């Protein structure tokens, strides 16, 4: 698994398109939100700023890059060659997505750390970490599912864009308007409950039990995405 991860890390840093569109641009967008944190804090809250930073990186650095990576490795038959080795399917997929997961986690940690220094820090750090982990697991699972219907790295730009933009839009909607109205709809949309959890963790003032309940819709999306991935994921190019 780790040898696969090392090889994939090398491929990421050799691919300028992936570096720019999936890694550098999300960081630039997050920096924009931090630069204008007071304005966005007035529109929503500091928790909203934290949530949109997490989801921008999760959607583009993690999810979109995962889809592109798996599509590329399928197209060049690398997945097929790996599957002929002694490595299990789980270790192959873990090795391929591990580098981008670690990079995205570092991005979130550093950027949220800077944000916390420049503004009021999170009220509940463990709950914030839990919210970020749940978000990452959900986006990874959705990435595996989307990769199943993606034929090439170029096609990944089309298949990953709707969900990438969609979850960021849901984050902004929930983060700005809250969940007092249309509560069930907002929490059931992908990213809605996780956004509320991150906002609560940053702003505080919400009982812990009420926040932990928000893990349920996020984990439900993980189950749905894994089920779709098991059904649709392909190891060889479609002929």
């Amino acid at each position: 698994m780790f040898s696969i991860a090392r090889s994939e890390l090398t491929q990421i840093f050799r691919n300028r398109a992936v570096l720019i569109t999936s890694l550098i641009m999300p960081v630039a967008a997050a920096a924009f939100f931090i630069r204008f944190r007071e304005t966005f804090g007035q529109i929503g809250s500091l928790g909203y700023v934290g949530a949109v930073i997490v989801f921008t990186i999760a959607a583009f650095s993690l999810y979109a890059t995962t889809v592109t990576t798996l599509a590329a490795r399928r197209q060049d038959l690398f997945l097929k060659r790996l599957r002929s080795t002694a490595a299990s399917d789980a270790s192959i997929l873990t090795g391929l997505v591990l580098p981008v997961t670690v990079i995205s986690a570092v991005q979130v940690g550093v950027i949220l750390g800077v944000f916390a220094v420049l503004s009021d820090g999170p009220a509940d750090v463990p709950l914030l970490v839990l919210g970020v982990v749940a978000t990452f697991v959900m986006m990874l699972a959705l990435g595996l599912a989307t990769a199943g219907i993606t034929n090439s790295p170029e096609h990944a730009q089309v298949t990953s864009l709707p969900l990438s933009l969609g979850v960021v839009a849901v984050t902004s909607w929930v983060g700005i308007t809250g969940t007092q109205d249309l509560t069930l709809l907002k929490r059931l949309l992908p990213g809605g409950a996780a956004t509320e959890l991150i906002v609560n963790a940053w702003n505080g003032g919400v009982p812990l039990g009420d926040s932990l309940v928000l893990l349920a819709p996020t984990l439900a999306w993980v189950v749905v995405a894994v089920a779709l991935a098991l059904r649709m994921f392909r190891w060889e190019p479609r002929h």
Side-chain angles (χ1 to χ4, degrees), residues 223-238:
V223 172
V224 170
V226 169
L228 289 173
L230 290 173
R231 183 180 181 84
M232 298 187 301
F233 190 82
R234 292 174 291 108
W235 292 86
E236 300 181 24
R238 181 183 289 128

Side-chain angles (χ1 to χ4, degrees), residues 135-153:
T135 299
F136 271 39
V137 171
M138 180 185 72
M139 297 308 293
L140 274 173
L142 290 170
L144 290 173
T146 306
I149 58 172
T150 305
N151 297 325
S152 66

Side-chain angles (χ1 to χ4, degrees), residues 4-14 95-96 99-100 103:
I4 297 174
R6 285 194 298 270
S7 173
E8 188 56 40
L9 183 63
T10 302
Q11 293 296 324
I12 288 175
F13 283 102
R14 286 179 178 174
L96 288 172
V100 70
I103 291 172

Side-chain angles (χ1 to χ4, degrees), residues 144-225:
L144 290 173
T146 306
I149 58 172
T150 305
N151 297 325
S152 66
E154 295 74 21
H155 190 210
Q157 298 175 15
V158 176
T159 58
S160 65
L161 190 60
L163 186 59
S164 297
L165 296 178
V167 294
V168 174
V170 168
T171 298
S172 292
W173 185 32
V174 173
I176 292 173
T177 64
T179 56
Q180 289 76 20
D181 299 320
L182 302 174
T183 303
L184 185 60
L185 173 62
K186 291 178 177 178
R187 289 178 176 174
L188 290 181
L189 288 172
T195 294
E196 187 178 359
L197 177 61
I198 293 171
V199 170
N200 291 348
W202 199 283
N203 294 339
V206 178
L208 180 60
D210 293 347
S211 292
L212 291 178
V213 169
L214 298 171
L215 287 171
T218 303
L219 296 179
W221 274 108
V222 173
V223 172
V224 170

Side-chain angles (χ1 to χ4, degrees), residues 53-78:
I53 287 172
V54 171
F55 269 93
T56 297
I57 293 174
F60 293 97
S61 291
L62 181 61
Y63 166 76
T65 305
T66 294
V67 177
T68 302
T69 295
L70 294 177
R73 300 301 164 259
R74 181 194 297 120
Q75 186 182 53
D76 61 17
L77 301 181
F78 188 57

Side-chain angles (χ1 to χ4, degrees), residues 8-117:
E8 188 56 40
L9 183 63
T10 302
Q11 293 296 324
I12 288 175
F13 283 102
R14 286 179 178 174
N15 192 325
R16 293 183 180 179
V18 170
L19 281 175
I20 294 174
T21 61
S22 300
L23 300 179
I24 296 176
M25 288 180 62
V27 172
F32 171 81
F33 280 101
I34 292 178
R35 172 65 179 82
F36 296 100
R37 61 191 178 280
E38 294 182 1
T39 300
F40 288 110
Q42 292 174 356
I43 295 173
S45 65
L46 291 179
Y48 158 61
V49 178
V52 80
I53 287 172
V54 171
F55 269 93
T56 297
I57 293 174
F60 293 97
S61 291
L62 181 61
Y63 166 76
T65 305
T66 294
V67 177
T68 302
T69 295
L70 294 177
R73 300 301 164 259
R74 181 194 297 120
Q75 186 182 53
D76 61 17
L77 301 181
F78 188 57
L79 283 181
K80 183 178 180 179
R81 291 197 297 272
L82 285 176
R83 214 180 187 200
S84 66
T85 67
S88 66
D89 290 354
S91 64
I92 292 171
L93 293 176
T94 301
L96 288 172
V97 302
L98 183 59
V100 70
T101 302
V102 172
I103 291 172
S104 300
V106 171
Q107 287 177 331
V108 167
V110 171
I111 293 173
L112 287 184
V114 172
F115 178 48
V117 170

